[in-house]
Amino acid sequence: LNRRLEQINSRLIILTGHPEEVIPRVCRNHDVDRVVFHEEEATEEKLCEMKLRDNLTPRGVAVNSYYGATLFHPGDVPFEIENIPDVFTAFRKKCEKHVQIRPLFPEPETLPPLPGSLSQTEFELPGETFFGFSPQSPSEKSVLPFKGGEQAGKERLHHYFWDKDLLKKYKETRNGMLGADYSSKFSPWLALGCLSPRFIYSEVKRYESGRVRNQSTYWLIFELIWRDYFHFISLKYGSKLFHASGIKGKEYKWSRNNDHFRIWAEGKTGIPLIDANMRELNQSGFMSNRGRQNVACFLAKNLNIDWRLGASYFESLLIDYDVCSNWGNWAYNSGVGNDPRDRYFNIVGQAKRYDPDGDYIRYWLPELEKVSDEFIHEPHRMNVETQKSCGVEIGHTYPFPVINLEESYREILKRGA
Ligand code: FAD
């Protein structure tokens, strides 16, 4: 970002602290008379924006804020925020019918220079240790190296749409779990503002007129509308999104079994689909959508653990962490959000459907590498001899299942979840 800003006569300045304190200080010290920012949707961010305005306006500093995070501009959606439908399809259909997606702004060719006093101040880019993290190198097993910045985000889009022509079959591949190209992997760049949904939309339209327009090209936009939806739901419900009872106000009796939570988080449940996905998250900061749905459902429904522990754990690790998408999807999969049907998954059924040959399991659980296709999704079913023949000892080199899945499904039905 700094490189791009320098090309157009400006530069990036990084300050650390609470924005509502730091920004007014900069304004005071450098005679700044206008502050412009992009609005966010979740409660803590909204509170921060409010305090910032309160601290700036009385000092005569003008404040302008804009929305740039969503495909549909909040000013264009055919609902008052408090009337955003609680069912996605109702939201999507009406927006698709009535909202014209705004065109992209042209990129500025130049920006006014920073005030003299600011441009001379040295600001250092804080490294990861500044924030209390120990330095980490990205896992080589990650679906992508995930380089930050707009340039890298655009290169990924170019690869996915134009070089490899993958968009035309996105709808058939998007439920995969293994590899770089089953889905777009745009989420980290979207979450960090390096790619905008409107830019992606405009590229889909260009692809549709230059290459092909089909269900897959539409489906990528459909998924971006899901993303929008959780952003609007967050605006509508504010802090309710973080309540145990969620936006539905459903009072389940959640368990706080720390051992079960730890086993889930470490990827040691003895249920390969769950473990492989959690190990991918732990080692790379990414997990497929199919994986996320299954591990969330398993924690909240099969283990009956307070879903917010899972959402917080994801928050601490995801490289594409987005408050609205994370908490909205967690609530949805835990039965306290926007799913009108409140479903649960048959975990082994999902594993057999989306990883039929067990390649994904073997990739992230090398201890099961030699297990045959027959047992790869339920290795505890192997007898001792079969275990020996593939170098596995259930209960020793790979755990017994932490719970009996069949019993847990009966419990879910009993609880009425
Ligand atoms: P693609 O399939 O290529 O989709 C394209 C884009 O559409 C994504 O980049 C994303 O921006 C959007 N999208 C797709 N599915 C969803 C969805 N269900 N909800 C919202 N947006 C969607 N996504 C995040 O960006 N940040 C999160 O913190 C996050 N947490 C999640 C937690 C749970 C429990 C679940 C079930 C889903 C979560 N998702 C989150 C949504 C989804 O899993 C990821 O956006 C997706 O896996 C990212 O991969 P992709 O870019 O290749 O997706």
Side-chain angles (χ1 to χ4, degrees):
L1 179 58
N2 189 42
R3 223 172 296 134
R4 283 289 294 124
L5 288 170
E6 280 177 346
Q7 284 163 6
I8 53 174
N9 207 25
S10 187
R11 65 176 262 230
L12 182 66
I13 288 169
I14 295 181
L15 298 160
T16 50
H18 293 283
E20 64 272 27
E21 291 162 12
V22 173
I23 294 170
R25 203 157 52 231
V26 173
C27 294
R28 203 172 42 243
N29 293 346
H30 300 280
D31 287 331
V32 175
D33 61 5
R34 180 178 300 272
V35 167
V36 179
F37 66 87
H38 255 173
E39 286 194 35
E40 301 275 343
E41 292 94 353
T43 35
E44 282 175 10
E45 289 79 356
K46 280 270 160 262
L47 192 65
C48 168
E49 290 169 6
M50 206 174 71
K51 287 186 193 159
L52 179 63
R53 278 179 208 278
D54 288 350
N55 290 346
L56 289 173
T57 321
R59 295 186 182 144
V61 180
V63 182
N64 300 111
S65 64
Y66 298 90
Y67 256 102
T70 49
L71 192 58
F72 301 131
H73 192 280
D76 298 341
V77 295
F79 309 99
E80 296 299 329
I81 293 299
E82 60 273 20
N83 295 329
I84 297 286
D86 288 334
V87 176
F88 169 69
T89 311
F91 169 81
R92 175 181 61 81
K93 286 195 168 154
K94 212 163 170 190
C95 287
E96 284 179 332
K97 196 163 172 203
H98 296 288
V99 183
Q100 193 74 32
I101 290 163
R102 296 188 182 186
L104 296 176
F105 289 110
E107 282 189 30
E109 282 167 16
T110 180
L111 288 174
L114 293 179
S117 53
L118 252 187
S119 61
Q120 279 149 31
T121 319
E122 284 301 321
F123 295 99
E124 217 183 308
L125 187 69
E128 54 198 329
T129 47
F130 179 91
F131 297 103
F133 299 113
S134 45
Q136 293 195 2
S137 34
S139 163
E140 281 172 12
K141 292 177 97 175
S142 175
V143 284
L144 274 185
F146 286 121
K147 205 169 160 229
E150 183 188 25
Q151 174 80 20
K154 283 185 166 168
E155 280 166 14
R156 172 65 192 168
L157 186 144
H158 202 271
H159 167 91
Y160 198 76
F161 285 16
W162 304 105
D163 291 345
K164 291 281 159 104
D165 230 356
L166 295 163
L167 179 57
K168 69 172 185 227
K169 50 179 185 169
Y170 166 74
K171 189 160 184 248
E172 291 98 70
T173 60
R174 70 189 182 91
N175 275 308
M177 293 187 286
L178 186 61
D181 289 341
Y182 60 82
S183 67
S184 75
K185 312 293 184 307
F186 294 159
S187 56
W189 289 287
L190 276 163
L192 296 167
C194 307
L195 285 181
S196 84
R198 269 153 62 190
F199 171 72
I200 297 172
Y201 177 82
S202 72
E203 287 291 292
V204 173
K205 291 288 135 192
R206 200 159 71 85
Y207 183 92
E208 286 180 337
S209 42
R211 296 255 169 106
V212 63
R213 180 180 173 187
N214 60 17
Q215 286 208 353
S216 284
T217 57
Y218 166 69
W219 216 260
L220 194 81
I221 297 169
F222 177 93
E223 294 299 343
L224 289 176
I225 301 177
W226 262 114
R227 179 178 173 278
D228 266 30
Y229 183 58
F230 287 122
H231 283 238
F232 284 104
I233 284 296
S234 182
L235 273 176
K236 174 176 175 181
Y237 284 105
S239 64
K240 255 190 153 183
L241 193 60
F242 310 100
H243 292 189
S245 55
I247 62 165
K248 273 190 181 160
K250 278 211 163 180
E251 301 292 348
Y252 291 123
K253 229 174 162 231
W254 298 104
S255 140
R256 285 240 172 187
N257 184 324
N258 284 339
D259 287 337
H260 279 183
F261 177 73
R262 184 182 43 77
I263 285 168
W264 172 84
E266 289 175 357
K268 292 184 180 162
T269 65
I271 296 160
L273 181 72
I274 304 302
D275 294 343
N277 274 291
M278 292 307 293
R279 301 229 200 137
E280 179 179 8
L281 175 68
N282 290 332
Q283 288 175 43
S284 76
F286 189 83
M287 191 194 291
S288 68
N289 187 52
R290 183 55 44 193
R292 293 182 208 207
Q293 289 178 315
N294 273 281
V295 302
C297 171
F298 180 75
L299 184 82
K301 301 219 160 153
N302 300 78
L303 294 179
N304 191 33
I305 288 182
D306 186 337
W307 64 280
R308 296 171 306 166
L309 294 180
S312 309
Y313 190 70
F314 266 39
E315 175 171 345
S316 74
L317 285 171
L318 279 177
I319 55 161
D320 63 12
Y321 175 65
D322 164 307
V323 192
C324 315
S325 299
N326 186 59
W327 289 82
N329 271 292
W330 263 97
Y332 185 100
N333 282 282
S334 309
V336 296
N338 298 90
D339 186 356
R341 284 188 282 168
D342 198 358
R343 293 158 273 196
Y344 63 91
F345 289 115
N346 177 321
I347 305 287
V348 174
Q350 289 274 305
K352 288 181 177 163
R353 183 164 171 196
Y354 294 106
D355 186 29
D357 304 323
D359 294 344
Y360 176 75
I361 304 289
R362 291 190 192 89
Y363 186 76
W364 287 103
L365 306 178
E367 65 269 43
L368 299 182
E369 207 174 350
K370 296 203 182 93
V371 175
S372 67
D373 292 1
E374 187 187 351
F375 294 110
I376 191 69
H377 298 302
E378 296 176 286
H380 67 282
R381 290 196 188 279
M382 289 189 289
N383 63 27
V384 176
E385 229 155 77
T386 319
Q387 290 180 32
K388 262 195 195 142
S389 70
C390 57
V392 177
E393 198 184 327
I394 298 296
H396 186 58
T397 59
Y398 187 71
F400 279 109
V402 58
I403 48 163
N404 177 319
L405 276 176
E406 295 308 323
E407 266 173 31
S408 73
Y409 297 134
R410 285 192 288 276
E411 284 299 315
I412 294 172
L413 291 175
K414 248 200 258 164
R415 286 198 306 272

